[in-house]
């Protein structure tokens, strides 16, 4: 099965986990706080509140923006 076929079959949670894994790896490689994405990982559980995802992403984005500004 090709990568395109695997992506086409993935559900929302799988795609979010894949994107989050890539982001998690990049944050660590760039010297960022390895715990910054932990709230998003916790929200990927089967029984997690999907409505919180947008709020959690906004919080993480703000933290990353603040960290980037401090490193300039």
């Amino acid at each position: 099965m090709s990568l395109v076929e695997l992506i086409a079959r993935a559900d929302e949670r799988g795609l979010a986990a894949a994107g989050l894994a890539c982001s998690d790896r990049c944050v660590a490689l760039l010297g960022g706080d390895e715990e910054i994405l932990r709230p998003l990982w916790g929200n990927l559980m089967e029984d997690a509140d999907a409505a919180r995802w947008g709020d959690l992403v906004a919080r993480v984005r703000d933290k990353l923006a603040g960290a980037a500004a401090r490193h300039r």
Side-chain angles (χ1 to χ4, degrees):
M1 184 174 301
S2 74
L3 179 59
V4 173
E5 291 170 327
L6 288 171
I7 292 171
R9 289 183 169 190
D11 64 358
E12 292 173 351
R13 182 172 284 127
L15 292 173
L20 186 55
C22 290
S23 298
D24 197 29
R25 182 71 175 149
C26 290
V27 168
L29 288 173
L30 295 172
D33 180 3
E34 295 180 6
E35 300 294 316
I36 203 162
L37 298 176
R38 187 167 298 268
L40 292 174
W41 281 115
N43 198 58
L44 284 177
M45 298 180 311
E46 297 259 348
D47 59 346
D49 180 9
R52 288 191 57 214
W53 181 259
D55 182 47
L56 291 170
V57 169
R59 288 183 196 177
V60 168
R61 184 178 51 236
D62 291 344
K63 286 181 184 178
L64 289 171
R70 286 191 298 274
H71 291 288
R72 287 185 188 158

